[in-house]
C-alpha cells in the first residue's frame, strides 16, 4: 500500500481555509453575483488561492497538500455537484452544471427556492442539506475536483484528495420524497463513489482522505452496520483510503475501525482526548493511525511538549504508520497570524492561526523523527506561551469571580410564569393578531460600513459618527413605519457583527484585524477571542435603542446577543470550563437588559442562534450542557419585570430533540428559521405544545429572491395548523443585514400584507362561526 512506503512519521492537515487571508474569495464571489465580473475572473481568484494555500502546506513541510477542501460555496454542495446528485427540482444537467447554476442551488432564484442550510455538526459553519428523492442520481457531475488535482500536480505538489464520505453525505441529507429511509439510496451512493474513486485511481492518485464524522454521533445499528460492506465495496480498485473521524470520540467503534478494509483511520484527539488508548490497543499492523493533535477549531497555541509526550509511545508502537495532523479541517480558524497588527505581543504569543498550525504539526513530526535541533526554537516558544498564559494577571478578575460565586437559583427565574406575564404584556402593548416584526438588523449599506471604518481609523470624530448612525436609524424607523410593521427595531447600523460588537465593549475579550472565518458562502465572521474573565464596564446598546424609541410610538425592541451565542461564536479560553465563561457573559448581559428596561425599552430580544449548535454530539452529554446553557440564558433575562417582554431568536438548526429545554428558557417570544424547510421545523413545536409565543420565519433572508404574498400566506396557514392564533407572530427567518434595500422593502411589504390577509381570514372565520 502507498501508506506503507513511508518510513517515518508523516504530517498532513484535513483541510485549509479557502477564503483567503484577506477574504479574496468572498469579494470575488460577490462581484460575480452582482454581475460586476465574469466566471473567468472568479475562477482565476480560486486558482490563485488554491495555489497559495498548497504552497503554504508544502513550505511548512507537510508530506501532502490536501486537494478537495476548496469549495465555491460549501463542500457538501461541492460533493453533490461532483457526484451529480443535485436536486432534480432545479432542472440542471449535472455534467453541464455551471457556476451560476451551482450558486442558484445555494442561493435560490426567482424561479427556485434555495436548498436548505443548517449547521455542520456542532460548528458555526453552515452546509447545504442534500435533498434525497427516489430520482436522485449519482452518475457523475462536474470535473472541478479533477481540474484542481491537475493544478496541484502541475505546481509540483504531492496530492492527497479529501472527500466527504458516502455515509456522512447520506446521513446529513434530508428525505424529500419517494424513499422510506436514507439508506435506501445506499446502492446508488456506493456506485457513485466507486466510479469516482476508480477515476482517481486511474489518474494516479495514491491517497484519499474520506471524511466520516458521523462516527462521532450515536449511530443506530443500521448505520453502524453499513460501514463494513460499504468500505469493502469501495476498496476495490481505489486509492488507499484514510477514513477520517473528527469532532468527538469514536471509541465505541474501536473494533469496527480496526477491522474496516481501509488503509488508515484518523482520530480527533482534541475533542476526543480520552479515546486514544482504547483504539490504539491492538492497532492492526497494516493500518496507519492519523492523530489530530493540533486544534482545528480553536486558536490557542499547542503545548508541543505535552503532545510529544503523548505521541512518543505510539511512535514506538506504530513507527512509520503514525501520522500527525490537525484535529479537523482548519476551515474553522483564521488563515494567518502574521496579518494581525492589532494584537499585543503577549496575547499574540499565545495564538496560532491555520498557517502557524501547519508549522506546529511539522514541528511535532520532526521531533518524532529525531530532528529535534531543527525545531527546538518552536518548542521553546511553545513553553514560553504556556507559562505566560498561566501567570498573566490580565486573565483573572476577582470581582467577576466573587459575583459569579454569589449567584443563586432565584437569579435565573422571572417573578411570574408566562401566562401571567403575557396577559400583562398584551394589555400594555395592544398588538394586533399575528403581530409583525423583524429579527433585528437591516441592510448594511456601503455608506454605513464606510462610516464605521472611518470612525475606527480616526478619520471622523465621535459626533460625526453619531450623527451618521442616527440618520441611518431615522431612515430605518421611517421605512418600518411606512411598511406598517407592528414592533420595530433600530436596524443595528453601528454593529459590525452580532458577537464582535458586544465583545468589543466587554473586558476579557480581544479582537483581530483579519481573523476571518467562513460561516457560509461568502459570509465571513471575525470571532472574538475570550482570553480572560468577562465583565461589562458600561452600557453597550441603551443609547441607540433609546434614541430609536423617540422616533416612534410603536414598541422598539432592544437587541442583544445571548450568552451561549457569545460563547459559541468566539474562540473561547480553554483554561476553565466553558460554562463558567458562559455564566460570566450572562451576568454582563443581565446588567444590559436591566439598563434597557430602566430606559423604557419594554421589549428586549436576546438572540441565541447558537443554542442548538453548542449541543454535544452524544446525547449522554446533553443534560450537563443544556442545564448550564438554559441557566445562562435565564440569568441574562430574569432581572426584569413581568411587563417587559423577552424575545429570543434561533436559526438553522434542528430543534425538535431539545424542545423541553427551549421551553425551559422561558422567553416570552421565540422566532425561528422555518421557510427553507417549508415550515417542517415548526411541526415539532406543535407536537411538543410549545407554551409561549412563537414567530416562524416566513421568508428566507439568505437568498436575494423576494417571495410573493401568496407564498408567505401559505406558510402562515401551515403555521396556524401548529400554533394557536393568539401566540403566532410574523417575521423573516433572520436578520436583514446582508440584503439590499429594494429586495428588503419589497419582501417586508409582502410579509405585512400576508399578515393582514391572515387577520381578515380569521375575522371571516369568526363571523362565520
Amino acid at each position: 500500500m502507498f501508506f506503507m512506503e513511508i518510513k517515518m512519521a508523516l504530517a498532513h492537515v484535513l483541510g485549509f481555509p479557502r477564503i483567503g487571508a484577506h477574504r479574496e474569495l468572498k469579494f470575488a464571489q460577490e462581484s460575480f453575483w452582482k454581475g460586476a465580473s465574469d466566471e473567468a475572473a472568479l475562477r482565476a481568484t480560486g486558482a490563485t488561492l488554491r495555489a497559495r494555500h498548497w504552497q503554504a502546506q508544502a513550505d511548512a513541510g507537510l508530506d501532502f497538500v490536501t486537494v478537495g477542501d476548496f469549495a465555491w460555496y460549501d463542500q457538501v454542495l461541492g460533493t453533490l455537484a461532483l457526484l451529480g446528485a443535485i436536486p432534480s427540482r432545479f432542472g440542471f444537467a449535472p455534467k453541464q452544471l455551471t457556476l451560476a447554476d451551482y450558486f442558484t442551488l445555494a442561493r435560490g432564484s426567482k424561479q427556485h427556492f434555495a436548498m436548505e442550510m443548517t449547521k455542520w455538526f456542532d460548528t458555526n459553519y453552515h452546509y447545504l442539506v442534500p435533498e434525497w428523492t427516489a430520482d436522485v442520481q449519482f452518475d457523475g457531475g462536474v470535473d472541478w475536483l479533477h481540474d484542481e488535482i491537475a493544478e496541484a500536480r502541475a505546481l509540483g505538489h504531492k496530492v492527497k484528495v479529501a472527500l466527504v464520505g458516502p455515509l456522512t453525505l447520506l446521513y446529513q441529507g434530508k428525505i424529500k420524497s419517494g424513499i422510506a429511509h436514507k439508506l435506501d439510496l445506499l446502492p446508488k451512493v456506493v456506485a457513485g463513489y466507486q466510479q469516482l474513486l476508480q477515476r482517481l485511481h486511474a489518474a494516479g492518485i495514491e491517497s484519499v482522505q474520506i471524511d466520516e464524522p458521523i462516527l462521532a454521533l450515536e449511530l443506530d445499528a443500521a448505520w453502524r452496520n453499513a460501514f463494513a460492506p460499504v468500505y469493502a465495496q469501495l476498496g476495490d480498485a481505489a486509492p488507499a483510503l484514510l477514513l477520517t473521524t473528527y469532532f468527538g470520540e469514536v471509541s465505541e467503534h474501536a473494533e469496527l475501525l480496526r477491522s474496516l478494509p481501509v488503509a488508515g483511520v484518523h482520530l480527533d484527539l482534541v475533542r476526543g482526548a480520552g479515546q486514544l488508548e482504547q483504539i490504539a490497543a491492538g492497532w492492526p499492523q497494516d493500518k496507519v493511525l492519523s492523530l489530530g493533535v493540533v486544534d482545528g477549531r480553536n486558536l490557542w497555541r499547542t503545548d508541543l511538549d505535552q503532545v510529544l509526550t503523548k505521541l512518543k509511545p505510539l511512535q514506538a508502537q506504530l513507527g512509520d504508520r503514525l501520522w500527525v495532523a490537525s484535529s479537523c479541517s482548519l476551515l474553522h480558524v483564521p488563515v494567518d497570524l502574521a496579518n494581525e497588527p492589532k494584537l499585543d505581543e503577549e496575547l499574540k504569543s499565545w495564538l496560532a492561526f491555520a498557517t502557524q498550525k501547519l508549522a506546529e504539526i511539522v514541528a511535532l513530526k520532526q521531533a518524532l523523527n529525531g530532528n529535534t535541533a531543527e525545531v527546538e526554537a518552536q518548542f521553546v516558544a511553545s513553553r514560553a506561551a504556556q507559562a505566560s498564559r498561566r501567570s498573566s494577571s490580565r486573565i483573572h478578575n476577582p470581582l467577576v469571580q466573587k459575583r459569579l460565586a454569589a449567584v443563586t437559583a432565584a437569579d435565573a427565574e422571572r417573578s411570574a410564569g408566562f401566562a401571567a406575564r403575557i396577559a400583562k404584556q398584551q394589555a400594555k402593548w395592544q398588538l394586533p393578531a399575528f403581530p409583525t416584526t423583524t429579527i433585528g438588523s437591516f441592510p448594511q449599506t456601503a455608506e454605513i460600513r464606510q462610516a464605521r471604518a472611518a470612525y475606527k481609523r480616526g478619520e471622523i470624530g465621535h459626533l460625526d459618527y453619531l450623527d451618521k448612525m442616527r440618520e441611518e436609524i431615522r431612515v430605518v424607523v421611517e421605512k418600518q413605519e411606512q411598511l406598517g410593521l407592528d414592533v420595530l427595531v433600530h436596524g443595528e447600523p453601528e454593529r459590525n457583527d452580532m458577537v464582535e460588537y458586544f465583545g468589543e465593549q466587554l473586558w476579557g475579550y480581544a479582537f483581530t484585524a483579519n481573523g476571518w472565518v467562513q460561516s457560509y458562502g461568502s459570509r465571513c465572521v471575525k470571532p472574538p477571542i475570550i482570553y480572560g474573565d468577562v465583565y461589562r464596564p458600561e452600557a453597550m446598546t441603551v443609547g441607540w435603542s433609546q434614541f430609536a424609541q423617540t422616533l416612534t410610538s410603536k414598541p422598539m425592541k432592544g437587541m442583544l446577543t445571548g450568552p451561549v451565542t457569545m460563547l459559541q461564536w468566539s474562540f473561547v479560553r480553554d483554561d476553565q470550563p466553558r460554562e463558567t465563561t458562559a455564566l460570566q457573559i450572562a451576568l454582563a448581559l443581565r446588567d444590559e437588559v436591566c439598563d434597557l428596561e430602566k430606559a423604557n425599552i419594554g421589549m428586549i430580544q436576546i438572540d441565541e442562534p447558537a443554542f442548538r449548535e453548542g449541543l454535544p454530539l452524544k446525547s449522554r452529554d446533553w443534560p450537563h450542557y443544556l442545564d448550564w446553557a438554559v441557566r445562562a440564558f435565564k440569568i441574562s433575562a430574569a432581572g426584569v419585570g413581568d411587563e417587559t417582554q423577552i424575545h429570543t431568536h434561533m436559526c438553522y438548526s434542528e430543534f425538535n430533540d431539545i424542545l423541553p429545554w427551549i421551553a425551559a428558557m422561558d422567553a416570552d417570544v421565540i422566532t425561528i428559521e422555518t421557510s427553507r424547510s417549508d415550515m417542517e421545523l415548526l411541526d415539532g413545536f406543535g407536537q411538543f405544545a410549545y407554551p409561549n409565543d412563537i414567530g416562524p420565519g416566513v421568508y428566507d433572508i439568505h437568498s436575494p429572491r423576494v417571495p410573493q404574498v401568496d407564498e408567505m400566506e401559505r406558510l402562515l396557514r401551515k403555521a396556524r395548523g401548529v400554533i394557536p392564533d393568539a401566540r403566532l407572530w410574523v417575521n423573516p427567518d433572520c436578520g436583514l443585514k446582508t440584503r439590499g434595500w429594494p429586495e428588503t422593502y419589497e419582501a417586508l411589504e409582502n410579509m405585512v400584507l400576508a399578515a393582514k390577509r391572515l387577520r381578515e381570514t380569521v375575522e371571516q372565520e369568526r363571523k362565520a362561526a
Side-chain angles (χ1 to χ4, degrees):
M1 276 190 179
F2 163 70
F3 289 155
M4 301 306 294
E5 295 173 7
I6 307 299
K7 299 303 180 186
M8 305 183 81
L10 299 186
H12 72 123
V13 289
L14 274 59
F16 196 83
R18 51 186 176 252
I19 58 174
H22 301 284
R23 295 178 292 163
E24 295 92 328
L25 184 59
K26 167 191 174 66
F27 298 124
Q29 287 169 319
E30 292 175 354
S31 177
F32 176 70
W33 295 341
K34 293 173 185 174
S37 63
D38 60 14
E39 183 170 317
L42 177 56
R43 288 190 177 280
T45 298
T48 298
L49 290 171
R50 289 192 295 270
R52 183 187 305 164
H53 299 156
W54 292 331
Q55 193 60 50
Q57 294 171 55
D59 290 346
L62 297 185
D63 293 282
F64 313 100
V65 301
T66 300
V67 178
D69 55 345
F70 181 86
W72 294 110
Y73 198 98
D74 163 53
Q75 71 265 20
V76 175
L77 180 59
T79 305
L80 298 175
L82 176 66
L83 294 167
I86 58 176
S88 60
R89 65 181 173 87
F90 288 87
F92 297 146
K95 289 184 171 64
Q96 283 75 52
L97 192 75
T98 66
L99 272 180
D101 296 336
Y102 172 92
F103 289 130
T104 297
L105 297 169
R107 304 177 72 236
S109 67
K110 289 183 178 180
Q111 294 76 34
H112 302 286
F113 59 87
M115 293 174 65
E116 186 177 344
M117 186 163 63
T118 195
K119 302 291 179 70
W120 182 244
F121 294 84
D122 59 348
T123 75
N124 187 33
Y125 178 80
H126 302 62
Y127 76 100
L128 276 301
V129 179
E131 297 180 11
W132 299 141
T133 57
D135 63 352
V136 67
Q137 298 299 315
F138 296 83
D139 297 332
V142 296
D143 285 332
W144 302 343
L145 172 63
H146 307 286
D147 295 339
E148 291 165 18
I149 292 169
E151 287 175 27
R153 284 175 153 175
L155 293 169
H157 298 302
K158 193 166 191 175
V159 169
K160 178 198 67 176
V161 172
L163 298 173
V164 177
L167 287 159
T168 292
L169 185 72
L170 259 187
Y171 191 95
Q172 294 296 101
K174 180 175 283 189
I175 294 173
K176 292 295 182 180
S177 65
I179 58 171
H181 195 285
K182 295 173 190 178
L183 288 172
D184 294 346
L185 292 175
L186 196 54
K188 283 186 179 181
V189 176
V190 170
Y193 272 85
Q194 283 177 319
Q195 178 181 320
L196 172 59
L197 290 170
Q198 287 165 5
R199 182 174 175 184
L200 293 174
H201 186 64
I205 294 298
E206 298 176 300
S207 176
V208 172
Q209 166 193 317
I210 194 155
D211 293 355
E212 294 285 13
I214 62 165
L215 282 165
L217 305 176
E218 290 170 324
L219 298 177
D220 64 29
W223 287 97
R224 289 195 308 272
N225 294 339
F227 273 86
V230 164
Y231 279 89
Q233 293 175 77
L234 294 184
D236 297 335
L241 299 180
L242 177 71
L243 186 137
T244 313
T245 71
Y246 45 82
F247 296 158
E249 71 162 60
V250 293
S251 55
E252 62 266 40
H253 304 304
E255 189 54 43
L256 171 66
L257 293 173
R258 283 191 284 264
S259 64
L260 278 179
V262 294
V265 171
H266 171 86
L267 305 177
D268 180 344
L269 294 189
V270 176
R271 294 265 167 162
Q275 64 183 323
L276 180 58
E277 183 175 348
Q278 181 176 349
I279 293 179
W283 191 248
Q285 296 296 312
D286 62 345
K287 280 189 175 61
V288 160
L289 189 58
S290 169
L291 300 179
V293 291
V294 170
D295 195 345
R297 291 181 57 175
N298 211 335
L299 41 61
W300 303 106
R301 197 165 190 159
T302 304
D303 186 336
L304 296 179
D305 287 319
Q306 183 183 72
V307 172
L308 185 63
T309 299
K310 180 184 294 186
L311 293 181
K312 275 187 173 179
L314 286 160
Q315 186 188 31
Q317 173 189 346
L318 299 170
D320 58 346
R321 296 178 292 119
L322 174 62
W323 287 21
V324 184
S326 55
S327 61
C328 59
S329 171
L330 299 176
L331 167 73
H332 309 285
V333 296
V335 176
D336 194 349
L337 188 60
N339 296 321
E340 289 306 324
K342 287 179 59 175
L343 298 173
D344 65 80
E345 289 306 310
E346 181 186 42
L347 180 56
K348 200 170 180 179
S349 73
W350 300 345
L351 307 178
F353 291 4
T355 302
Q356 289 68 45
K357 289 177 185 290
L358 301 179
E360 290 184 326
I361 293 166
V362 173
L364 289 164
K365 180 193 85 165
Q366 295 283 45
L368 284 168
N369 290 340
N371 302 320
T372 52
E374 295 181 22
V375 293
E376 180 58 25
Q378 290 191 60
F379 275 78
V380 169
S382 172
R383 290 175 202 128
Q386 308 309 317
S388 174
R389 280 190 71 195
R390 285 192 296 269
S391 61
S392 176
S393 60
R394 69 197 295 182
I395 291 178
H396 303 292
N397 184 326
L399 294 177
V400 173
Q401 295 170 5
K402 182 178 179 180
R403 185 182 182 191
L404 188 60
V407 171
T408 67
D411 293 323
E413 300 299 333
R414 302 283 296 271
S415 59
F418 172 74
R421 297 197 311 266
I422 199 65
K424 293 179 181 180
Q425 292 162 13
Q426 289 171 344
K428 177 180 180 179
W429 299 113
Q430 295 293 306
L431 296 175
F434 314 114
T436 56
T437 189
T438 64
I439 305 306
S441 61
F442 269 83
Q444 295 240 334
T445 63
E447 291 77 15
I448 294 173
R449 293 193 296 271
Q450 288 164 5
R452 279 205 313 262
Y455 178 57
K456 284 195 171 185
R457 291 193 298 265
E459 296 170 4
I460 61 174
H462 179 71
L463 291 180
D464 286 340
Y465 172 71
L466 190 64
D467 284 344
K468 289 179 184 295
M469 295 298 106
R470 284 186 168 183
E471 181 54 36
E472 183 62 29
I473 291 170
R474 286 190 186 94
V475 170
V476 169
V477 173
E478 182 180 332
K479 287 182 183 291
Q480 291 175 88
E481 293 270 22
Q482 291 169 355
L483 286 161
L485 288 163
D486 300 306
V487 175
L488 310 191
V489 297
H490 80 284
E492 306 177 11
E494 78 286 1
R495 304 186 189 184
N496 43 11
D497 174 83
M498 66 182 293
V499 173
E500 184 175 3
Y501 172 79
F502 291 97
E504 284 177 333
Q505 301 178 77
L506 295 169
W507 292 356
Y509 274 81
F511 293 84
T512 63
N514 295 293
W516 297 102
V517 177
Q518 184 182 23
S519 178
Y520 63 87
S522 69
R523 168 72 169 148
C524 300
V525 295
K526 199 148 48 88
I529 304 165
I530 306 177
Y531 66 85
D533 291 336
V534 178
Y535 176 73
R536 187 197 76 144
E538 59 186 9
M540 302 178 285
T541 68
V542 174
W544 301 113
S545 295
Q546 208 169 19
F547 171 73
Q549 186 66 82
T550 67
L551 304 174
T552 180
S553 60
K554 292 185 174 181
M556 176 65 59
K557 281 194 293 187
M559 303 301 304
L560 305 175
T561 302
V564 176
T565 299
M566 288 288 294
L567 182 87
Q568 285 295 125
W569 291 358
S570 299
F571 291 116
V572 184
R573 57 190 290 192
D574 57 359
D575 62 338
Q576 71 178 14
R578 290 173 69 86
E579 56 263 38
T580 302
T581 303
L583 292 174
Q584 291 177 355
I585 299 169
L587 288 172
L589 292 173
R590 181 188 183 93
D591 293 343
E592 187 73 13
V593 169
C594 292
D595 283 350
L596 283 166
E597 183 186 54
K598 290 173 187 174
N600 295 316
I601 302 300
M603 291 188 181
I604 303 167
Q605 183 170 307
I606 307 172
D607 288 344
E608 284 291 22
F611 187 87
R612 175 63 172 80
E613 173 191 313
L615 196 67
L617 297 182
K618 293 182 171 63
S619 60
R620 62 174 179 258
D621 300 322
W622 288 7
H624 176 69
Y625 163 77
L626 289 165
D627 178 65
W628 65 254
V630 169
R631 183 170 179 242
F633 179 86
K634 293 176 74 174
I635 285 172
S636 73
V640 295
D642 294 345
E643 288 187 347
T644 296
Q645 190 171 80
I646 297 295
H647 293 231
T648 191
H649 173 68
M650 297 182 178
C651 58
Y652 295 101
S653 294
E654 298 285 350
F655 302 117
N656 293 356
D657 46 6
I658 59 166
L659 282 171
W661 289 274
I662 293 177
M665 293 167 69
D666 198 26
D668 298 306
V669 183
I670 182 174
T671 53
I672 60 171
E673 172 275 321
T674 52
S675 70
R676 282 201 181 196
S677 67
D678 200 39
M679 288 287 172
E680 288 179 11
L681 283 174
L682 193 58
D683 292 343
F685 284 82
Q687 293 164 9
F688 173 72
Y690 183 77
N692 298 12
D693 282 16
I694 185 166
V698 296
Y699 81 90
D700 174 24
I701 65 86
H702 292 92
S703 169
R705 176 178 177 271
V706 176
Q708 297 307 300
V709 178
D710 290 346
E711 186 176 327
M712 295 194 210
E713 194 176 0
R714 180 185 65 82
L715 290 176
L716 285 171
R717 287 196 301 269
K718 290 188 73 171
R720 284 189 71 202
V722 178
I723 303 298
D725 288 352
R727 294 196 284 107
L728 186 59
W729 287 60
V730 181
N731 45 261
D733 269 346
C734 200
L736 300 163
K737 173 181 176 180
T738 60
R739 302 268 56 91
W741 263 115
E743 68 193 70
T744 294
Y745 197 92
E746 184 181 354
L748 290 177
E749 200 170 33
N750 291 348
M751 186 188 83
V752 170
L753 183 53
K756 288 179 178 178
R757 286 187 183 178
L758 194 61
R759 290 168 194 158
E760 292 169 0
T761 298
V762 172
E763 181 61 20
Q764 290 167 2
E765 290 173 353
R766 185 187 66 79
K767 290 179 179 178

